[in-house]
Amino acid sequence: MWLVRNCPPCRPTTSKVRAANSRYVYNFSTTTRRFALTTQEVATDSRSLVTRLKNLFLGTAIGASLILGYLYITDTRAGVHQWIVVPSIRWFYDDAEDAHEAGTKALKALHEFGLHPRERGSEDKGGDLTVEVFGHTLRNPIGISAGIDKHAEIPTALLALGPSVVEVGGATPHPQDGNPKPRVFRLPSQRALINRYGLNSDGADSMAMRLRQRVREYAYAMGFGMDEAAEQRILDGEAGVPPGSLVDGKLMAVQIAKNKFTPDDDIEAIKNDYVYCVGALARYADIIVVNVSSPNTPGLRDLQRKEPLRNILTAVVEAAKRIHRKTSPAVMVKVSPDEDSEEQVAGIVDAVWASGVDGVIVGNTTKRRHDLIPEGHTLPYREAAALLEQGGYSGPQLFERTVSLVKRYRRLLDEGLNANSAMYSGLPKSSKSLESKPIKASVEQTSTAPAPGTSTADKIEATVQRDRANLKHATPEAEAESKSQPLLRLPARNSPSSPATHSASDSPALSSSSHLDQLSPSDRDTPSSATPSPASYSSPKSSLSPLSSLSTTPPQSALSSSSAVKPKVIFCTGGITNGKQLLEVQQAGAQLGMIYTHLVYGGVGVISRMKAEMREEISRQKKI
């Protein structure tokens, strides 16, 4: 034992024992560390999974909130537009015109990024509010009046709010600043405005460039290209949408006016102003609106007298027919609510029928101040001072006057329809008395008419006998009388003896012009005195003349075509604030009601609310 213990080879050294012990201890500690690391990794992975789930949930919530917020903010029905946006703009901008410009710029910027308010849903597709206007089926009877978009900067954004018609302008041939500022005043307690803008305009050429760019961008988006040929294809209707609005079931109107510095007593210069605007803008419009009723341009309302108005409207109608487009825009005249005497209204109606204008926009701002404020109501000092400002007043107080005026225009326009229909069909104006007295059959016709139930051979024989009885004998007197009767001249291409080739200028077969050619000059209804020749059209700017877009072929007279005897369309504007009132103006005879002041105070959602009110009122009336 001693030897074993003390034998150096057999005796373990202290260092070896320590090393063995250390190895044992090391291995034990390594296992413990590995276990500890595994536990930490599991805990870390658990925390990482929870974090990932939290991040996923948070990201989903943020994304859903952004999407829902986008859908809410861009929906015209959102209450934020009425209760937050409008009051905020009015609070930030004390001047009403500055607030208007800020709203226009904001809507334009939002539209560029696709964040603009729009009417969501498909309620209009039900067709319960549709109305026929100028051969188009419009989705609803609501329009936006000129003044909201004076320079045609946001027509697409306005159309997205839900109206069927948007009127831009007014545009003048030359740019003009309008009246000095301040020129717009609020009356919040009455939800009314007073303005004296004075037709501030960038000019017809500037507006035409914006509208041209709009058409070309639409052509590019539809795959037509972006050049002049693509533009022409859109204007000619190849995209299947109206060339002005570029939206199915909607129309865009462009308002035109004369320059302030054009002499009021020079009717030819005034006509040239309007015709120049037609040449520049009519290609991009579905409706041309002739403004002769602004109260803020000196001498403009004097143009509503019968003779000046007839001359101006005739020139505009003829210029609109010459534009380089397959379909010409409709022409309407905007008349003042202050020219309301029986003589004034009758004179305007006569001018409308004589010129061939397609319709009338009844109403504009009023210069009158009586009967505007409810009895016993005291205005705040600032509003009382604003009421004394010069300019045109617009607000809910004008509604009753607007409805009354619409009824009068509808009655007189319909009377003119009957008179012109009788004239066009060759009957005297007293056709009503003729209609009440049925024409009796002649003795020959009654005696030789076949009795019902007879055979075919008997009927033929009876017809032959009737014709023999009615035909005159071929005497020299009868032949002379026959030669004196006017004959209907067939166009050359319908004659068997005519050559097969014909020029493009040939009249269509059996057109109204072929009938007029047979009449004596005294019987033809062509207002030559009011028809300016193409050579008489002068351009305010020699460098760029939009009149080059007009065809040189003179149009037919208004009364020489069947379009002259179609019922005239009436739009109305003035004090409309809800759906029930829209139904009232329709019952009074207007096809469409237009809003301006109500949109300023109510925000972008007023049109959606008005349509909902119309549907509610229609449902209520059906239940009664």
Side-chain angles (χ1 to χ4, degrees):
M1 182 65 71
W2 180 87
L3 288 174
V4 174
R5 288 181 180 180
N6 293 286
C7 179
C10 300
R11 185 176 65 224
T13 62
T14 306
S15 61
K16 289 181 178 180
V17 173
R18 289 176 179 174
N21 293 336
S22 66
R23 280 199 299 271
Y24 174 77
V25 174
Y26 175 77
N27 290 337
F28 176 79
S29 63
T30 301
T31 303
T32 304
R33 289 177 182 176
R34 286 179 179 173
F35 178 77
L37 288 174
T38 303
T39 304
Q40 289 176 1
E41 289 175 359
V42 171
T44 302
D45 290 343
S46 299
R47 287 195 297 268
S48 178
L49 178 61
V50 173
T51 301
R52 289 194 188 113
L53 290 174
K54 286 182 178 179
N55 292 339
L56 179 62
F57 176 77
L58 183 61
T60 303
I62 292 174
S65 299
L66 290 175
I67 293 173
L68 293 175
Y70 166 78
L71 294 175
Y72 176 78
I73 293 295
T74 57
D75 194 330
T76 56
R77 295 169 294 184
V80 66
H81 300 301
Q82 180 181 8
W83 305 113
I84 296 179
V85 175
V86 173
S88 298
I89 292 177
R90 287 171 52 191
W91 186 80
F92 277 109
Y93 297 95
D94 186 61
D95 182 77
E97 185 174 359
D98 291 342
H100 189 146
E101 291 176 357
T104 300
K105 290 178 181 177
L107 194 56
K108 183 178 180 180
L110 290 172
H111 182 264
E112 290 177 355
F113 291 99
L115 300 175
H116 60 287
R118 67 208 72 181
E119 190 174 52
R120 298 193 181 277
S122 57
E123 292 182 356
D124 279 349
K125 293 183 180 179
D128 54 339
L129 299 180
T130 57
V131 60
E132 293 289 332
V133 173
F134 303 130
H136 298 270
T137 301
L138 303 187
R139 300 180 186 180
N140 57 75
I142 307 175
I144 294 179
S145 292
I148 294 293
D149 187 12
K150 282 183 168 292
H151 311 300
E153 297 176 287
I154 51 172
T156 306
L158 291 179
L159 285 166
L161 301 182
S164 285
V165 175
V166 168
E167 181 187 3
V168 300
T172 55
H174 287 281
Q176 63 182 25
D177 294 330
N179 294 321
K181 296 181 179 181
R183 51 193 180 185
V184 187
F185 309 92
R186 302 189 189 106
L187 282 77
S189 68
Q190 305 302 307
R191 299 181 70 85
L193 291 172
I194 293 175
N195 87 80
R196 53 168 180 262
Y197 277 112
L199 285 172
N200 54 310
S201 171
D202 289 344
D205 295 330
S206 177
M207 182 180 288
M209 285 192 292
R210 292 191 190 97
L211 296 178
R212 181 185 303 117
Q213 182 65 19
R214 176 174 174 265
V215 171
R216 294 196 177 189
E217 289 176 357
Y218 179 83
Y220 182 78
M222 297 298 293
F224 289 90
M226 207 171 181
D227 56 1
E228 186 176 353
E231 172 192 337
Q232 189 61 46
R233 292 177 66 186
I234 297 297
L235 297 179
D236 286 338
E238 292 189 29
V241 294
S245 68
L246 304 179
V247 181
D248 185 37
K250 300 189 178 186
L251 302 175
M252 186 180 74
V254 176
Q255 185 188 115
I256 60 175
K258 80 175 188 71
N259 275 117
K260 188 175 182 179
F261 53 77
T262 303
D264 300 332
D265 56 351
D266 189 346
I267 192 64
E268 288 300 321
I270 294 172
K271 284 163 56 177
N272 288 339
D273 272 10
Y274 285 101
V275 170
Y276 182 87
C277 290
V278 172
L281 297 167
R283 279 167 52 82
Y284 310 106
D286 301 310
I287 305 170
I288 290 292
V289 178
V290 181
N291 185 357
V292 290
S293 59
S294 171
N296 303 309
T297 301
L300 188 65
R301 288 192 169 183
D302 294 338
L303 300 179
Q304 294 178 102
R305 298 195 309 271
K306 181 177 178 179
E307 285 306 313
L309 184 61
R310 181 179 64 83
N311 290 334
I312 293 169
L313 296 181
T314 300
V316 170
V317 169
E318 293 173 351
K321 290 179 180 179
R322 294 189 179 98
I323 66 167
H324 184 51
R325 204 176 76 184
K326 283 188 177 180
T327 58
S328 58
V331 178
M332 303 186 76
V333 56
K334 194 166 193 173
V335 298
S336 165
D338 296 341
E339 272 64 40
D340 57 355
S341 70
E342 202 65 31
E343 181 182 358
Q344 289 171 323
V345 174
I348 291 172
V349 170
D350 287 345
V352 166
W353 278 110
S355 62
V357 165
D358 300 289
V360 180
I361 299 182
V362 177
N364 204 328
T365 56
T366 178
K367 297 175 71 173
R368 299 174 182 174
R369 294 293 187 268
H370 62 275
D371 298 332
L372 294 177
I373 308 303
E375 245 184 90
H377 182 82
T378 303
L379 290 174
Y381 174 78
R382 188 171 182 179
E383 294 185 23
L387 190 62
L388 300 177
E389 292 285 351
Q390 185 180 1
Y393 181 100
S394 60
Q397 298 77 15
L398 300 182
F399 177 72
E400 295 299 330
R401 189 188 304 177
T402 299
V403 173
S404 174
L405 203 56
V406 166
K407 291 179 180 178
R408 293 170 61 190
Y409 269 100
R410 173 50 65 200
R411 174 176 56 82
L412 291 176
L413 286 171
D414 288 348
E415 289 177 1
L417 172 66
N418 296 332
N420 283 279
S421 298
M423 185 184 303
Y424 179 73
S425 60
L427 296 175
K429 290 187 178 182
S430 58
S431 58
K432 292 182 180 180
S433 61
L434 294 178
E435 292 174 358
S436 62
K437 299 178 181 179
I439 301 175
K440 296 182 179 180
S442 62
V443 176
E444 293 86 353
Q445 290 173 331
T446 56
S447 61
T448 60
T454 57
S455 64
T456 303
D458 293 338
K459 291 181 181 179
I460 294 175
E461 182 62 25
T463 303
V464 171
Q465 295 297 331
R466 182 196 64 193
D467 291 341
R468 284 178 178 174
N470 291 337
L471 289 175
K472 295 182 178 180
H473 297 288
T475 60
E477 294 80 5
E479 290 181 0
E481 183 180 356
S482 176
K483 290 180 180 180
S484 66
Q485 299 294 324
L487 298 177
L488 176 64
R489 176 179 59 81
L490 292 176
R493 61 170 171 268
N494 289 337
S495 173
S497 61
S498 62
T501 58
H502 303 281
S503 65
S505 61
D506 286 344
S507 301
L510 299 179
S511 67
S512 56
S513 60
S514 65
H515 291 274
L516 289 175
D517 290 341
Q518 312 308 318
L519 301 178
S520 62
S522 60
D523 292 335
R524 296 178 189 176
D525 193 5
T526 53
S528 57
S529 61
T531 305
S533 63
S536 67
Y537 297 151
S538 62
S539 167
K541 299 182 180 181
S542 58
S543 60
L544 178 61
S545 175
L547 295 178
S548 60
S549 65
L550 301 182
S551 168
T552 56
T553 305
Q556 297 176 1
S557 172
L559 291 179
S560 66
S561 65
S562 60
S563 62
V565 295
K566 292 180 180 178
K568 301 300 182 183
V569 172
I570 294 180
F571 294 173
C572 76
T573 178
I576 301 173
T577 59
N578 57 60
K580 184 178 180 181
Q581 291 178 340
L582 277 169
L583 293 174
E584 286 186 43
V585 298
Q586 281 190 295
Q587 293 171 358
Q591 279 78 12
L592 187 137
M594 308 187 78
I595 61 173
Y596 170 80
T597 308
H598 186 44
L599 184 62
V600 171
Y601 279 96
V604 296
V606 298
I607 296 172
S608 298
R609 293 195 295 272
M610 292 174 78
K611 286 194 281 190
E613 291 165 354
M614 289 184 71
R615 292 186 173 98
E616 289 176 4
E617 181 64 20
I618 292 172
S619 299
R620 189 188 66 81
Q621 292 178 2
K622 287 181 179 179
K623 293 178 181 178
I624 297 176

